[in-house]
Amino acid sequence: MIDYIKGSLAELTPALAVVEACGVGYALNISLNTYSALQGNKEVKVYVHEVLMTGGRDDSFTLYGFSTKQERELYRLLITVSGVGSNTARMILSSSSPAELCNIIATGDERMLKSVKGIGLKTAQRIIVDLKDKIMSSGIAQEIHAGGSSTRTVVSSPAREEALGALTMLGFSPAPSAKVVDEILRQTPDLPVEQVVKQALKLIK
């Protein structure tokens, strides 16, 4: 089992990071929070969650990467909830910071969870019911708040193609994604790419 990968950051997009360690490039699916934390760094340490899918036509092995143990723990808690898969959990973590997500669950804010693509009322309620006590008892929320919030690096250009690439990797069709991204950038041309993706996740139908 891989706990973390430490090495050179070879490639970074809002949805994917490639970390080279000992001559091997590891492709890791990431959230926007981790994307922001990794920006501007040459050497990184990324905590890993492995997903092995078997029994289908082709077996698949996917790595998910997180800049902190706390975000990885939140991800692992989210995927224990019925109706929340790996990609949905990543979208939830891309829509809110770990501290914000802890607060949303702790306060029972169904509206904020429902704003995430693919999360309906029943799933939002299930996340709150299933995880509220676990988050408080595990100490994740306290660790996140104690560590403070990370400062996000502002991207100098709108990075339209980068945002569209991230949305495509998250499973959205190119045409509706492009329409939403173009509208967001029309209103706010200099918006950081991670904010473009975050807004798009709430607007794509």
Side-chain angles (χ1 to χ4, degrees):
M1 179 178 177
I2 301 173
D3 184 55
Y4 66 83
I5 297 172
K6 187 175 182 180
S8 301
L9 185 61
E11 183 180 335
L12 181 66
T13 74
L16 183 76
V18 177
V19 180
E20 182 179 340
C22 300
V24 179
Y26 296 90
L28 303 117
N29 292 294
I30 60 173
S31 70
L32 288 177
N33 291 301
T34 292
Y35 169 76
S36 297
L38 297 183
Q39 276 186 315
N41 295 304
K42 293 181 179 180
E43 298 295 319
V44 296
K45 181 178 181 180
V46 183
Y47 295 94
V48 176
H49 176 80
E50 304 170 75
V51 176
L52 177 62
M53 299 293 291
T54 60
R57 195 170 184 180
D58 295 303
D59 293 345
S60 64
F61 181 62
T62 306
L63 299 178
Y64 288 85
F66 307 91
S67 61
T68 65
K69 286 185 177 181
Q70 290 76 28
E71 187 184 19
R72 181 177 63 179
E73 184 60 25
L74 278 173
Y75 172 87
R76 286 175 170 171
L77 286 173
L78 285 168
I79 60 176
T80 65
V81 178
S82 177
V84 179
S86 297
N87 218 39
T88 301
R90 181 166 60 147
M91 280 194 279
I92 293 172
L93 288 168
S94 292
S95 300
S96 305
S97 70
E100 289 168 343
L101 181 58
C102 284
N103 188 57
I104 288 168
I105 295 173
T107 58
D109 193 342
E110 298 171 359
R111 182 182 61 82
M112 288 300 295
L113 285 173
K114 280 178 59 184
S115 70
V116 179
K117 180 70 175 179
I119 300 294
L121 177 60
K122 288 186 178 179
T123 302
Q125 292 174 335
R126 198 177 296 123
I127 290 171
I128 292 168
V129 170
D130 288 1
L131 301 187
K132 186 174 182 179
D133 290 341
K134 290 181 181 178
I135 284 176
M136 299 310 295
S137 62
S138 68
I140 298 175
Q142 292 89 333
E143 289 176 11
I144 290 171
H145 288 295
S149 58
S150 60
T151 302
R152 295 197 164 193
T153 304
V154 177
V155 180
S156 58
S157 67
R160 177 180 182 273
E161 296 306 317
E162 198 171 4
L164 288 175
L167 291 167
T168 300
M169 292 181 70
L170 288 170
F172 294 101
S173 301
S177 297
K179 185 177 179 180
V180 169
V181 168
D182 287 344
E183 178 60 24
I184 292 170
L185 292 176
R186 186 184 67 78
Q187 296 181 18
T188 317
D190 297 323
L191 199 64
V193 64
E194 62 264 33
Q195 293 297 331
V196 174
V197 177
K198 183 174 287 191
Q199 288 191 27
L201 289 175
K202 299 178 181 179
L203 297 174
I204 297 175
K205 302 300 182 183

